Coordinates of all heavy atoms in Angstrom, one line a residue:
Chain A
T1295 N -1.0 7.0 -12.3 CA 0.2 7.5 -13.1 C 1.2 6.4 -13.1 O 1.4 5.7 -12.1 CB 0.8 8.7 -12.4 OG1 1.1 8.3 -11.0 CG2 -0.2 9.9 -12.4
P1296 N 2.0 6.2 -14.2 CA 2.9 5.1 -14.3 C 4.0 5.3 -13.3 O 4.4 6.4 -12.8 CB 3.5 5.3 -15.7 CG 3.1 6.6 -16.2 CD 1.9 7.1 -15.4
S1297 N 4.6 4.2 -12.8 CA 5.7 4.2 -11.8 C 6.9 4.9 -12.5 O 6.9 5.1 -13.7 CB 6.0 2.8 -11.4 OG 6.5 2.2 -12.6
S1298 N 7.9 5.2 -11.7 CA 9.0 6.0 -12.2 C 9.6 5.3 -13.4 O 9.8 4.1 -13.4 CB 10.1 6.1 -11.1 OG 10.6 4.8 -10.9
G1299 N 9.9 6.1 -14.4 CA 10.6 5.5 -15.6 C 9.7 4.9 -16.6 O 10.0 4.7 -17.8
E1300 N 8.5 4.4 -16.1 CA 7.6 3.7 -17.1 C 6.8 4.8 -17.7 O 6.3 5.7 -17.0 CB 6.8 2.8 -16.3 CG 6.1 1.8 -17.2 CD 5.1 0.9 -16.4 OE1 5.5 0.4 -15.4 OE2 3.9 1.0 -16.8
V1301 N 6.5 4.7 -19.0 CA 5.7 5.7 -19.7 C 4.6 4.9 -20.4 O 4.7 3.7 -20.7 CB 6.4 6.5 -20.7 CG1 7.4 7.4 -20.0 CG2 7.1 5.7 -21.7
Q1302 N 3.5 5.6 -20.7 CA 2.4 5.0 -21.5 C 2.3 5.7 -22.8 O 2.3 7.0 -22.8 CB 1.1 5.0 -20.7 CG 1.2 4.1 -19.5 CD -0.1 4.1 -18.7 OE1 -0.8 5.0 -18.8 NE2 -0.3 2.9 -18.1
L1303 N 2.2 4.9 -23.9 CA 2.1 5.5 -25.2 C 0.6 5.8 -25.5 O -0.1 4.9 -25.9 CB 2.6 4.6 -26.3 CG 2.5 5.0 -27.7 CD1 2.9 6.4 -28.0 CD2 3.4 4.0 -28.6
T1304 N 0.2 7.1 -25.1 CA -1.2 7.4 -25.3 C -1.3 8.7 -26.2 O -0.3 9.4 -26.4 CB -1.9 7.8 -24.0 OG1 -1.2 8.9 -23.5 CG2 -1.7 6.6 -23.0
E1305 N -2.5 8.9 -26.7 CA -2.7 10.1 -27.6 C -2.5 11.3 -26.8 O -1.8 12.3 -27.2 CB -4.2 10.1 -28.1 CG -4.5 11.2 -29.0 CD -5.9 11.0 -29.7 OE1 -6.3 9.9 -29.9 OE2 -6.5 12.1 -30.0
E1306 N -2.9 11.3 -25.5 CA -2.7 12.4 -24.6 C -1.2 12.7 -24.5 O -0.8 13.9 -24.5 CB -3.3 12.1 -23.2 CG -3.5 13.4 -22.4 CD -4.0 14.6 -23.2 OE1 -5.0 14.4 -24.0 OE2 -3.3 15.6 -23.2
A1307 N -0.4 11.7 -24.3 CA 1.0 11.9 -24.1 C 1.7 12.5 -25.3 O 2.4 13.4 -25.3 CB 1.7 10.6 -23.7
V1308 N 1.3 11.9 -26.5 CA 1.8 12.4 -27.7 C 1.4 13.9 -28.0 O 2.2 14.8 -28.3 CB 1.4 11.6 -28.9 CG1 1.9 12.1 -30.3 CG2 1.9 10.1 -28.8
R1309 N 0.1 14.2 -27.6 CA -0.4 15.5 -27.8 C 0.4 16.5 -26.9 O 0.8 17.6 -27.4 CB -1.9 15.5 -27.4 CG -2.6 16.9 -27.6 CD -3.9 16.9 -26.9 NE -4.8 15.9 -27.4 CZ -5.5 16.0 -28.5 NH1 -5.4 17.1 -29.2 NH2 -6.3 15.0 -28.9
R1310 N 0.7 16.1 -25.7 CA 1.4 16.9 -24.8 C 2.8 17.3 -25.4 O 3.2 18.4 -25.4 CB 1.6 16.2 -23.4 CG 1.1 17.1 -22.3 CD 1.4 16.5 -20.9 NE 1.8 15.1 -20.8 CZ 1.0 14.1 -20.5 NH1 -0.3 14.3 -20.3 NH2 1.4 12.9 -20.5
Y1311 N 3.5 16.3 -25.8 CA 4.8 16.5 -26.4 C 4.8 17.5 -27.6 O 5.5 18.5 -27.7 CB 5.5 15.2 -26.8 CG 6.0 14.4 -25.7 CD1 5.7 13.1 -25.5 CD2 7.0 14.9 -24.8 CE1 6.2 12.3 -24.5 CE2 7.5 14.2 -23.7 CZ 7.1 12.9 -23.6 OH 7.6 12.1 -22.5
L1312 N 3.8 17.2 -28.5 CA 3.8 18.0 -29.7 C 3.3 19.4 -29.5 O 3.6 20.3 -30.3 CB 2.9 17.2 -30.8 CG 3.5 15.9 -31.3 CD1 2.6 15.3 -32.4 CD2 4.9 16.0 -31.8
S1313 N 2.5 19.6 -28.4 CA 2.1 21.0 -28.1 C 3.2 21.8 -27.6 O 3.2 23.0 -27.6 CB 0.9 21.0 -27.1 OG 0.0 19.9 -27.4
R1314 N 4.2 21.0 -27.0 CA 5.3 21.7 -26.3 C 6.3 22.2 -27.4 O 6.8 23.4 -27.3 CB 6.0 20.7 -25.3 CG 6.6 21.4 -24.2 CD 7.1 20.4 -23.1 NE 6.0 19.7 -22.5 CZ 6.2 18.5 -21.9 NH1 7.4 17.9 -22.0 NH2 5.2 17.9 -21.3
K1315 N 6.7 21.3 -28.3 CA 7.7 21.8 -29.3 C 7.6 20.8 -30.5 O 7.2 19.7 -30.4 CB 9.1 21.7 -28.7 CG 9.6 20.4 -28.4 CD 11.0 20.5 -27.8 CE 11.5 19.1 -27.3 NZ 12.2 18.3 -28.3
P1316 N 8.1 21.3 -31.7 CA 8.1 20.5 -32.9 C 9.0 19.3 -32.7 O 10.1 19.5 -32.1 CB 8.7 21.4 -34.0 CG 8.5 22.8 -33.5 CD 8.5 22.7 -32.0
M1317 N 8.6 18.1 -33.0 CA 9.4 16.9 -32.8 C 9.4 16.0 -34.1 O 8.5 16.0 -34.8 CB 8.9 16.1 -31.6 CG 8.9 16.8 -30.3 SD 8.2 15.8 -29.0 CE 9.5 14.7 -28.6
T1318 N 10.6 15.4 -34.3 CA 10.7 14.4 -35.4 C 10.2 13.1 -34.9 O 10.0 12.9 -33.7 CB 12.1 14.2 -35.8 OG1 12.9 13.7 -34.7 CG2 12.8 15.6 -36.3
T1319 N 10.0 12.2 -35.9 CA 9.5 10.8 -35.5 C 10.5 10.2 -34.5 O 10.2 9.6 -33.5 CB 9.4 9.9 -36.7 OG1 10.6 9.9 -37.4 CG2 8.2 10.4 -37.6
K1320 N 11.8 10.5 -34.7 CA 12.8 9.9 -33.9 C 12.8 10.5 -32.4 O 12.9 9.8 -31.4 CB 14.2 10.2 -34.5 CG 15.3 9.3 -33.8 CD 16.6 9.4 -34.6 CE 17.8 8.8 -33.9 NZ 19.0 9.0 -34.6
D1321 N 12.5 11.8 -32.4 CA 12.4 12.4 -31.0 C 11.3 11.7 -30.3 O 11.4 11.4 -29.1 CB 12.0 13.9 -31.2 CG 13.1 14.7 -31.8 OD1 14.3 14.3 -31.8 OD2 12.8 15.7 -32.5
L1322 N 10.1 11.5 -31.0 CA 9.0 10.9 -30.3 C 9.3 9.5 -29.8 O 9.0 9.1 -28.7 CB 7.8 10.9 -31.2 CG 7.0 12.2 -31.3 CD1 6.0 12.2 -32.5 CD2 6.3 12.5 -30.0
L1323 N 10.0 8.8 -30.7 CA 10.3 7.4 -30.4 C 11.2 7.3 -29.2 O 11.1 6.4 -28.4 CB 11.0 6.7 -31.6 CG 10.0 6.3 -32.7 CD1 10.8 6.0 -34.0 CD2 9.1 5.2 -32.3
K1324 N 12.1 8.3 -29.0 CA 13.0 8.3 -27.9 C 12.2 8.5 -26.6 O 12.5 8.0 -25.5 CB 14.0 9.4 -28.0 CG 15.1 9.0 -29.0 CD 16.3 10.0 -29.0 CE 17.4 9.5 -30.0 NZ 18.1 10.7 -30.4
K1325 N 11.0 9.2 -26.7 CA 10.2 9.4 -25.5 C 9.4 8.2 -25.1 O 9.0 8.0 -24.0 CB 9.2 10.6 -25.8 CG 9.8 11.9 -26.1 CD 10.4 12.5 -24.9 CE 10.9 13.9 -25.3 NZ 11.9 14.4 -24.2
F1326 N 9.2 7.3 -26.1 CA 8.4 6.1 -25.9 C 9.3 4.9 -26.2 O 8.9 4.0 -26.9 CB 7.2 6.1 -26.7 CG 6.3 7.3 -26.5 CD1 6.2 8.3 -27.4 CD2 5.5 7.3 -25.3 CE1 5.3 9.4 -27.1 CE2 4.7 8.4 -25.0 CZ 4.6 9.5 -25.9
Q1327 N 10.5 4.8 -25.5 CA 11.4 3.7 -25.8 C 10.7 2.4 -25.4 O 10.0 2.4 -24.4 CB 12.7 3.9 -25.0 CG 13.5 5.0 -25.7 CD 14.7 5.3 -24.8 OE1 15.0 4.6 -23.8 NE2 15.5 6.3 -25.2
T1328 N 11.0 1.3 -26.1 CA 10.3 0.0 -25.8 C 10.6 -0.4 -24.4 O 9.7 -0.9 -23.8 CB 10.9 -1.0 -26.8 OG1 12.3 -1.0 -26.8 CG2 10.4 -0.8 -28.2
K1329 N 11.8 -0.1 -23.9 CA 12.1 -0.6 -22.5 C 11.3 0.2 -21.5 O 11.1 -0.3 -20.4 CB 13.6 -0.6 -22.2 CG 14.3 0.8 -22.3 CD 15.7 0.6 -22.0 CE 16.5 1.9 -22.1 NZ 16.8 2.2 -23.6
R1330 N 10.7 1.3 -21.9 CA 10.0 2.1 -20.9 C 8.5 1.9 -21.0 O 7.8 2.1 -20.1 CB 10.3 3.6 -21.1 CG 11.8 3.9 -20.7 CD 12.1 5.4 -21.0 NE 11.5 6.3 -20.1 CZ 11.4 7.6 -20.3 NH1 12.0 8.1 -21.4 NH2 10.8 8.4 -19.5
T1331 N 8.1 1.5 -22.2 CA 6.6 1.2 -22.4 C 6.3 -0.2 -22.3 O 5.1 -0.6 -22.1 CB 6.2 1.7 -23.8 OG1 6.9 1.0 -24.7 CG2 6.4 3.2 -24.0
G1332 N 7.3 -1.1 -22.5 CA 7.0 -2.5 -22.4 C 6.4 -3.0 -23.7 O 6.0 -4.2 -23.9
L1333 N 6.3 -2.1 -24.7 CA 5.7 -2.5 -26.0 C 6.9 -3.0 -26.9 O 8.0 -2.6 -26.7 CB 5.1 -1.3 -26.7 CG 3.8 -0.7 -26.1 CD1 3.4 0.6 -26.8 CD2 2.7 -1.7 -26.1
S1334 N 6.5 -3.8 -27.9 CA 7.6 -4.3 -28.9 C 7.8 -3.1 -29.8 O 7.0 -2.2 -29.9 CB 7.1 -5.5 -29.7 OG 6.0 -5.0 -30.5
S1335 N 8.9 -3.2 -30.6 CA 9.2 -2.0 -31.4 C 8.1 -1.9 -32.5 O 7.7 -0.8 -32.9 CB 10.6 -2.1 -32.1 OG 10.8 -3.4 -32.6
D1336 N 7.7 -3.1 -33.0 CA 6.6 -3.0 -34.1 C 5.3 -2.4 -33.5 O 4.7 -1.5 -34.1 CB 6.3 -4.5 -34.5 CG 7.4 -5.0 -35.4 OD1 8.3 -4.3 -35.7 OD2 7.3 -6.2 -35.8
A1337 N 5.0 -2.8 -32.3 CA 3.8 -2.3 -31.6 C 3.9 -0.8 -31.4 O 2.9 0.0 -31.6 CB 3.5 -3.0 -30.3
T1338 N 5.1 -0.4 -31.1 CA 5.3 1.1 -30.8 C 5.2 1.8 -32.1 O 4.5 2.9 -32.2 CB 6.7 1.3 -30.2 OG1 6.9 0.5 -29.0 CG2 7.0 2.7 -29.9
V1339 N 5.8 1.3 -33.2 CA 5.7 2.0 -34.5 C 4.3 2.1 -34.9 O 3.8 3.2 -35.3 CB 6.6 1.3 -35.5 CG1 6.3 1.8 -36.9 CG2 8.1 1.5 -35.2
N1340 N 3.6 1.0 -34.8 CA 2.1 1.0 -35.3 C 1.3 1.9 -34.5 O 0.5 2.7 -35.0 CB 1.6 -0.4 -35.2 CG 2.2 -1.3 -36.3 OD1 2.7 -0.8 -37.3 ND2 2.3 -2.6 -36.0
A1341 N 1.5 1.9 -33.1 CA 0.7 2.7 -32.3 C 0.9 4.2 -32.5 O 0.0 5.0 -32.7 CB 0.9 2.4 -30.8
L1342 N 2.2 4.5 -32.7 CA 2.6 5.9 -32.8 C 2.1 6.4 -34.2 O 1.6 7.5 -34.3 CB 4.1 6.1 -32.7 CG 4.6 7.4 -32.3 CD1 3.8 8.0 -31.2 CD2 6.1 7.3 -31.9
A1343 N 2.2 5.5 -35.2 CA 1.7 5.9 -36.6 C 0.2 6.2 -36.5 O -0.3 7.2 -37.0 CB 1.9 4.8 -37.6
Q1344 N -0.6 5.3 -35.8 CA -2.0 5.5 -35.7 C -2.3 6.8 -34.9 O -3.2 7.6 -35.3 CB -2.7 4.4 -34.9 CG -2.6 3.0 -35.6 CD -3.0 3.2 -37.1 OE1 -4.0 3.8 -37.4 NE2 -2.3 2.6 -38.0
L1345 N -1.6 7.0 -33.8 CA -1.9 8.2 -33.0 C -1.6 9.5 -33.8 O -2.3 10.5 -33.8 CB -1.0 8.2 -31.7 CG -1.4 7.2 -30.7 CD1 -0.4 7.2 -29.5 CD2 -2.8 7.5 -30.2
L1346 N -0.5 9.5 -34.6 CA -0.1 10.7 -35.3 C -1.1 11.0 -36.4 O -1.5 12.1 -36.6 CB 1.3 10.5 -35.9 CG 2.4 10.7 -35.0 CD1 3.8 10.3 -35.6 CD2 2.5 12.1 -34.5
K1347 N -1.7 9.9 -37.0 CA -2.7 10.1 -38.1 C -3.9 10.7 -37.5 O -4.6 11.5 -38.0 CB -3.0 8.8 -38.8 CG -1.8 8.4 -39.8 CD -2.1 7.0 -40.4 CE -0.9 6.6 -41.3 NZ -1.0 5.2 -41.7
R1348 N -4.2 10.2 -36.2 CA -5.5 10.7 -35.6 C -5.3 12.2 -35.1 O -6.2 13.0 -35.3 CB -5.8 9.8 -34.3 CG -7.2 9.5 -34.3 CD -7.7 8.7 -33.1 NE -6.9 8.4 -32.0 CZ -6.6 7.1 -31.7 NH1 -7.1 6.1 -32.4 NH2 -5.9 6.8 -30.7
L1349 N -4.1 12.5 -34.6 CA -3.8 13.9 -34.2 C -3.7 14.8 -35.3 O -3.9 16.0 -35.2 CB -2.6 13.9 -33.3 CG -2.7 13.3 -31.9 CD1 -1.3 13.2 -31.3 CD2 -3.6 14.1 -31.0
D1350 N -3.2 14.3 -36.5 CA -3.0 15.1 -37.7 C -2.3 16.4 -37.3 O -2.9 17.5 -37.5 CB -4.4 15.4 -38.3 CG -4.2 16.0 -39.7 OD1 -3.1 15.9 -40.3 OD2 -5.1 16.7 -40.2
P1351 N -1.1 16.3 -36.8 CA -0.4 17.5 -36.4 C 0.1 18.3 -37.6 O 0.1 17.9 -38.7 CB 0.8 16.9 -35.6 CG 1.1 15.6 -36.2 CD -0.3 15.1 -36.7
E1352 N 0.5 19.6 -37.3 CA 1.1 20.4 -38.3 C 2.5 19.8 -38.6 O 3.0 19.1 -37.8 CB 1.4 21.8 -37.7 CG 0.2 22.5 -37.1 CD -0.7 23.2 -38.1 OE1 0.0 23.7 -39.1 OE2 -1.9 23.2 -38.0
R1353 N 2.9 20.1 -39.8 CA 4.3 19.6 -40.2 C 5.2 20.8 -40.5 O 4.7 21.8 -41.0 CB 4.2 18.7 -41.4 CG 3.9 17.3 -41.3 CD 2.5 17.0 -41.2 NE 1.9 16.2 -42.2 CZ 0.6 16.2 -42.3 NH1 -0.2 16.9 -41.5 NH2 0.0 15.5 -43.2
K1354 N 6.4 20.7 -40.2 CA 7.3 21.8 -40.4 C 8.7 21.2 -40.7 O 9.2 20.3 -40.0 CB 7.4 22.7 -39.2 CG 8.1 24.0 -39.4 CD 7.7 25.1 -38.5 CE 8.2 24.8 -37.1 NZ 8.0 26.1 -36.2
L1355 N 9.3 21.6 -41.8 CA 10.7 21.1 -42.2 C 11.6 22.0 -41.4 O 11.7 23.2 -41.6 CB 10.9 21.3 -43.7 CG 10.7 20.0 -44.5 CD1 11.2 20.3 -45.9 CD2 11.5 18.8 -43.9
I1356 N 12.4 21.4 -40.5 CA 13.4 22.2 -39.8 C 14.7 21.5 -40.0 O 14.8 20.3 -39.8 CB 13.1 22.2 -38.3 CG1 11.7 22.8 -38.0 CG2 14.2 23.0 -37.5 CD1 11.3 22.7 -36.6
A1357 N 15.7 22.2 -40.5 CA 17.1 21.6 -40.8 C 16.9 20.4 -41.7 O 17.4 19.3 -41.4 CB 17.8 21.3 -39.5
D1358 N 16.0 20.5 -42.7 CA 15.8 19.5 -43.6 C 15.2 18.2 -43.0 O 15.3 17.1 -43.6 CB 17.1 19.0 -44.3 CG 17.5 20.1 -45.3 OD1 16.7 20.9 -45.7 OD2 18.7 20.2 -45.6
K1359 N 14.6 18.4 -41.8 CA 14.0 17.2 -41.2 C 12.5 17.5 -40.9 O 12.2 18.6 -40.4 CB 14.7 16.8 -39.9 CG 16.1 16.1 -40.2 CD 16.8 15.8 -38.9 CE 16.1 14.6 -38.3 NZ 16.9 14.2 -37.0
M1360 N 11.6 16.6 -41.2 CA 10.2 16.9 -41.0 C 9.9 16.8 -39.5 O 10.3 15.8 -38.8 CB 9.4 15.8 -41.7 CG 7.9 15.9 -41.5 SD 7.3 17.4 -42.1 CE 7.1 17.0 -43.8
H1361 N 9.3 17.9 -39.0 CA 8.9 17.9 -37.6 C 7.4 18.0 -37.5 O 6.8 18.6 -38.3 CB 9.5 19.1 -36.9 CG 11.0 19.0 -36.6 ND1 11.9 18.9 -37.7 CD2 11.7 18.9 -35.5 CE1 13.1 18.8 -37.1 NE2 13.0 18.8 -35.8
F1362 N 6.8 17.4 -36.4 CA 5.4 17.5 -36.2 C 5.2 18.4 -35.0 O 6.0 18.4 -34.1 CB 4.8 16.1 -35.8 CG 4.9 15.1 -37.0 CD1 5.6 14.0 -36.9 CD2 4.1 15.3 -38.1 CE1 5.7 13.1 -37.9 CE2 4.1 14.4 -39.1 CZ 4.9 13.3 -39.1
F1363 N 4.1 19.2 -35.0 CA 3.8 19.9 -33.8 C 2.3 20.3 -33.8 O 1.6 20.2 -34.8 CB 4.6 21.2 -33.7 CG 4.3 22.2 -34.8 CD1 3.5 23.3 -34.5 CD2 4.8 22.1 -36.1 CE1 3.3 24.3 -35.5 CE2 4.5 23.0 -37.1 CZ 3.8 24.1 -36.8
L1364 N 1.8 20.6 -32.6 CA 0.4 20.9 -32.5 C 0.3 22.3 -31.9 O 0.9 22.7 -30.9 CB -0.3 19.9 -31.5 CG -0.6 18.6 -32.0 CD1 -1.0 17.6 -30.9 CD2 -1.7 18.6 -33.1
K1365 N -0.5 23.2 -32.6 CA -0.7 24.5 -32.1 C -1.7 24.4 -30.9 O -2.6 23.6 -30.9 CB -1.3 25.4 -33.1 CG -0.3 25.7 -34.3 CD -0.8 27.0 -35.0 CE 0.1 27.4 -36.1 NZ -0.2 26.6 -37.4
E1366 N -1.5 25.2 -29.9 CA -2.4 25.2 -28.7 C -3.8 25.5 -29.1 O -4.0 26.3 -30.1 CB -1.9 26.2 -27.7 CG -0.7 25.7 -26.9 CD -1.0 24.4 -26.2 OE1 -2.1 24.2 -25.8 OE2 0.0 23.6 -26.1
Chain B
S649 N 19.0 2.2 -27.5 CA 20.1 2.4 -28.4 C 19.6 3.2 -29.6 O 18.5 3.0 -30.1 CB 20.5 1.0 -28.9 OG 19.5 0.5 -29.6
S650 N 20.4 4.2 -30.0 CA 19.9 5.1 -31.1 C 19.7 4.3 -32.4 O 18.8 4.6 -33.1 CB 20.9 6.2 -31.3 OG 22.0 5.7 -32.0
S651 N 20.4 3.2 -32.6 CA 20.2 2.5 -33.9 C 18.8 1.9 -33.9 O 18.1 1.9 -34.9 CB 21.2 1.4 -34.0 OG 21.0 0.4 -33.0
E652 N 18.3 1.5 -32.7 CA 16.9 1.0 -32.6 C 16.0 2.1 -32.9 O 15.1 2.0 -33.7 CB 16.6 0.4 -31.2 CG 15.2 -0.2 -31.1 CD 14.8 -0.4 -29.7 OE1 15.4 0.2 -28.8 OE2 13.9 -1.2 -29.5
A653 N 16.3 3.3 -32.4 CA 15.4 4.5 -32.7 C 15.5 4.8 -34.2 O 14.4 5.1 -34.8 CB 15.9 5.7 -31.8
D654 N 16.7 4.7 -34.8 CA 16.8 4.9 -36.2 C 15.9 4.0 -37.0 O 15.1 4.4 -37.9 CB 18.2 4.8 -36.7 CG 19.1 6.0 -36.3 OD1 18.5 7.1 -36.2 OD2 20.3 5.8 -36.1
E655 N 16.0 2.7 -36.6 CA 15.2 1.7 -37.4 C 13.7 2.0 -37.2 O 13.0 2.0 -38.2 CB 15.5 0.3 -36.8 CG 16.6 -0.4 -37.5 CD 17.1 -1.6 -36.7 OE1 16.1 -2.3 -36.2 OE2 18.3 -1.9 -36.6
M656 N 13.4 2.3 -36.0 CA 11.9 2.5 -35.7 C 11.5 3.8 -36.4 O 10.4 3.8 -37.0 CB 11.7 2.5 -34.2 CG 11.8 1.2 -33.6 SD 11.8 1.3 -31.8 CE 10.2 1.8 -31.5
A657 N 12.3 4.8 -36.4 CA 11.9 6.1 -37.1 C 11.7 5.8 -38.6 O 10.8 6.3 -39.2 CB 13.0 7.1 -36.9
A658 N 12.6 5.0 -39.2 CA 12.4 4.7 -40.6 C 11.1 4.0 -40.8 O 10.4 4.3 -41.8 CB 13.6 3.8 -41.1
A659 N 10.8 3.0 -39.9 CA 9.6 2.2 -40.1 C 8.4 3.2 -39.9 O 7.4 3.1 -40.6 CB 9.5 1.1 -39.1
L660 N 8.5 4.1 -38.9 CA 7.4 5.0 -38.7 C 7.2 5.9 -39.9 O 6.0 6.1 -40.3 CB 7.7 5.8 -37.4 CG 6.6 6.7 -36.9 CD1 5.3 6.1 -36.8 CD2 7.0 7.3 -35.5
E661 N 8.3 6.4 -40.4 CA 8.1 7.3 -41.6 C 7.6 6.6 -42.8 O 6.8 7.1 -43.5 CB 9.4 8.0 -41.8 CG 9.7 9.1 -40.8 CD 11.0 9.8 -40.9 OE1 11.7 9.6 -41.9 OE2 11.4 10.4 -39.9
A662 N 7.9 5.3 -42.9 CA 7.3 4.5 -44.0 C 5.8 4.4 -43.8 O 5.0 4.6 -44.7 CB 8.0 3.1 -44.0
E663 N 5.4 4.1 -42.5 CA 4.0 4.1 -42.2 C 3.3 5.4 -42.5 O 2.1 5.4 -43.0 CB 3.8 3.8 -40.7 CG 3.9 2.4 -40.2 CD 2.6 1.7 -40.3 OE1 1.6 2.2 -40.0 OE2 2.6 0.6 -40.9
L664 N 4.0 6.5 -42.3 CA 3.4 7.8 -42.4 C 3.7 8.4 -43.8 O 3.3 9.5 -44.1 CB 3.9 8.8 -41.4 CG 3.6 8.4 -39.9 CD1 4.4 9.3 -39.0 CD2 2.1 8.6 -39.7
N665 N 4.3 7.6 -44.7 CA 4.9 8.2 -45.9 C 3.9 9.2 -46.6 O 4.2 10.3 -46.9 CB 5.4 7.2 -46.9 CG 4.3 6.3 -47.5 OD1 3.2 6.3 -47.0 ND2 4.7 5.6 -48.6
D666 N 2.6 8.7 -46.9 CA 1.7 9.6 -47.6 C 1.3 10.7 -46.7 O 1.0 11.8 -47.1 CB 0.4 8.8 -48.0 CG -0.2 8.1 -46.8 OD1 0.6 7.9 -45.8 OD2 -1.3 7.7 -46.9
F667 N 1.4 10.5 -45.4 CA 1.0 11.5 -44.4 C 2.1 12.6 -44.2 O 1.8 13.7 -43.9 CB 0.8 10.8 -43.0 CG 0.3 11.6 -41.9 CD1 -1.0 12.0 -41.9 CD2 1.1 12.0 -40.9 CE1 -1.5 12.7 -40.9 CE2 0.6 12.7 -39.8 CZ -0.7 13.1 -39.8
M668 N 3.4 12.2 -44.4 CA 4.5 13.1 -44.3 C 4.4 14.2 -45.3 O 4.8 15.2 -45.2 CB 5.9 12.4 -44.4 CG 6.1 11.3 -43.4 SD 6.5 12.0 -41.8 CE 8.2 12.1 -41.9

């Protein structure tokens, strides 16, 4: 498990967040900040885009903002 | 910084545009 404060951008981690509650792309990015993952911002954007396409989560417009979520 | 998150969110949504 990552040391304190460090997180890993994995499909499992994204799946866990989206199963918990609907999140916007910005919410997710805040969970995987570059200073916590050690990834560059481009790498983070590309990785997250690939993971989201693979997970193919549900989408929901909340307060005019697109949210992703995964039903259990 | 939230501006970094904003920029990255815009880039991410651009990546996902057909997906959104």
Side-chain angles (χ1 to χ4, degrees):
Chain A
T1295 54
S1297 62
S1298 67
E1300 196 189 305
V1301 293
Q1302 292 183 330
L1303 176 45
T1304 63
E1305 184 171 330
E1306 196 39 51
V1308 176
R1309 179 192 305 277
R1310 231 187 348 260
Y1311 282 124
L1312 295 183
S1313 319
R1314 207 173 294 157
K1315 67 181 173 87
M1317 295 178 81
T1318 62
T1319 54
K1320 193 169 170 185
D1321 295 335
L1322 279 168
L1323 285 163
K1324 282 190 182 150
K1325 299 290 184 195
F1326 299 107
Q1327 288 174 5
T1328 52
K1329 58 178 176 281
R1330 294 175 67 193
T1331 60
L1333 294 173
S1334 70
S1335 52
D1336 289 356
T1338 303
V1339 168
N1340 292 332
L1342 205 43
Q1344 294 313 319
L1345 288 177
L1346 283 171
K1347 286 177 185 167
R1348 221 182 6 239
L1349 287 170
D1350 189 20
E1352 308 273 328
R1353 276 80 114 196
K1354 189 156 71 167
L1355 263 186
I1356 302 172
D1358 288 341
K1359 288 179 74 176
M1360 176 64 81
H1361 288 64
F1362 293 114
F1363 67 101
L1364 283 169
K1365 290 200 177 84
E1366 283 303 328
Chain B
S649 62
S650 73
S651 66
E652 183 193 17
D654 280 335
E655 269 168 40
M656 289 171 66
L660 183 51
E661 286 174 13
E663 278 275 314
L664 295 171
N665 66 344
D666 51 342
F667 185 74
M668 299 284 272

